Amino acid sequence: MKTININIPIKRLFIFAMSLSSIAGLSGCTSTPNVRKSGNDTSGASKQTISRSKNPANFAIVASTIGGAAGAVIEKYMEKQATVLNRDLSGIALVERIGEGIKITVSSVVLFESDSYALSNTPQEQLKKMAETLITYKDTELLIAGHTDGVGDAKQNQILSEKRAESFADFLLAHNVPLLRMVTQGFGEQTPKVSNGTDEGRRMNQRIEIAIVANQTLKQDAKRQAEQDKISKKNG
């Protein structure tokens, strides 16, 4: 199967030309039953710019935000989707609701053998369920980001992170998630969550992160619904 071109720039999927005032309008992270509430509060983003290089999944979610009443409509859409995804991926992934998006973190230890980018058999049934949910909630786009620990050669770690992100995307593609909804990117050892000084830290840093954001169709629908709600409230 042809893998996704890793040279596709993230900006093709996400619009980064946002004013700090619009970022500041983001709501904080919202909670879903059984879905972890993220500690990454984006409401103060105007004072502390979120770095794409240090936390690309969070950056992608914030960069895609539209805010306001339309943003609230998108949040409800994501809330429902996150609940289902949490059930799909129970025991193998962390599902977080962040603003108008969803962040999923899956350990590479669960997904791959050591130094391999071939997807293991064990998580595949749950990943199939994830694909089904992504098809149901079709008005979204995904950034699939691969990360490694800091052990070994940095160049090889970069390549491994890219191939693992591609492998994950290929699996979703094989289960009918459209190619045009996905962008893959490898970050190698550049984006550790914690120190690589312990075995546990290295396991945490080997991961796939998926950012799920609204596509243009959902954003336009949300704006229309917000406007209709405004008119109905005014007339009511």
Side-chain angles (χ1 to χ4, degrees):
M1 178 182 300
K2 184 178 180 180
T3 56
I4 295 173
N5 181 0
I6 62 172
N7 293 319
I8 298 174
I10 297 177
K11 66 182 179 181
R12 173 179 168 185
L13 180 57
F14 303 112
I15 300 173
F16 294 139
M18 304 175 65
S19 66
L20 289 178
S21 60
S22 65
I23 295 176
L26 282 169
S27 64
C29 304
T30 57
S31 60
T32 299
N34 300 318
V35 177
R36 176 176 169 178
K37 180 179 179 180
S38 171
N40 299 304
D41 184 0
T42 58
S43 60
S46 60
K47 296 180 179 179
Q48 185 175 358
T49 303
I50 294 176
S51 169
R52 169 175 54 170
S53 63
K54 295 299 182 183
N55 205 332
N58 290 48
F59 184 92
I61 292 170
V62 173
S64 179
T65 295
I66 60 175
V73 173
I74 292 173
E75 288 187 15
K76 290 180 181 178
Y77 182 95
M78 294 295 180
E79 194 81 12
K80 294 176 182 178
Q81 183 178 189
T83 299
V84 181
L85 287 168
N86 187 71
R87 185 168 61 244
D88 295 340
L89 301 172
S90 177
I92 69 166
L94 173 64
V95 178
E96 298 175 87
R97 276 276 295 107
I98 300 177
E100 294 173 22
I102 300 168
K103 178 181 176 181
I104 299 173
T105 305
V106 193
S107 171
S108 293
V109 176
V110 173
L111 295 173
F112 310 101
E113 297 296 331
S114 179
D115 296 324
S116 172
Y117 57 87
L119 199 62
S120 300
N121 291 327
T122 304
Q124 290 193 19
E125 286 304 314
Q126 287 176 276
L127 296 182
K128 288 178 185 178
K129 293 178 181 178
M130 175 186 177
E132 291 171 0
T133 299
L134 292 173
I135 293 167
T136 299
Y137 291 87
K138 59 184 176 61
D139 292 329
T140 59
E141 293 171 336
L142 288 73
L143 167 64
I144 301 172
H147 306 267
T148 68
D149 61 23
V151 176
D153 179 72
K155 183 176 181 179
Q156 291 303 313
N157 283 338
Q158 176 64 34
I159 293 171
L160 181 62
S161 70
E162 293 169 357
K163 289 186 176 296
R164 283 179 168 178
E166 290 176 354
S167 180
F168 194 97
D170 279 349
F171 182 88
L172 296 180
L173 179 62
H175 291 85
N176 302 316
V177 178
L179 174 66
L180 291 179
R181 290 178 60 187
M182 297 184 284
V183 168
T184 65
Q185 188 79 11
F187 291 89
E189 59 187 52
Q190 302 175 49
T191 50
K193 293 183 68 173
V194 296
S195 169
N196 280 304
T198 65
D199 288 343
E200 179 61 23
R202 289 188 287 274
R203 281 193 294 271
M204 290 179 67
N205 291 330
Q206 297 179 55
R207 66 199 189 278
I208 294 290
E209 291 181 343
I210 303 99
I212 302 176
V213 301
N215 66 10
Q216 290 304 311
T217 298
L218 179 55
K219 289 179 180 181
Q220 292 302 317
D221 288 347
K223 289 176 182 178
R224 281 193 290 269
Q225 183 175 331
E227 186 62 28
Q228 290 171 0
D229 291 345
K230 181 180 178 181
I231 294 172
S232 297
K233 185 176 181 180
K234 183 177 180 180
N235 293 336

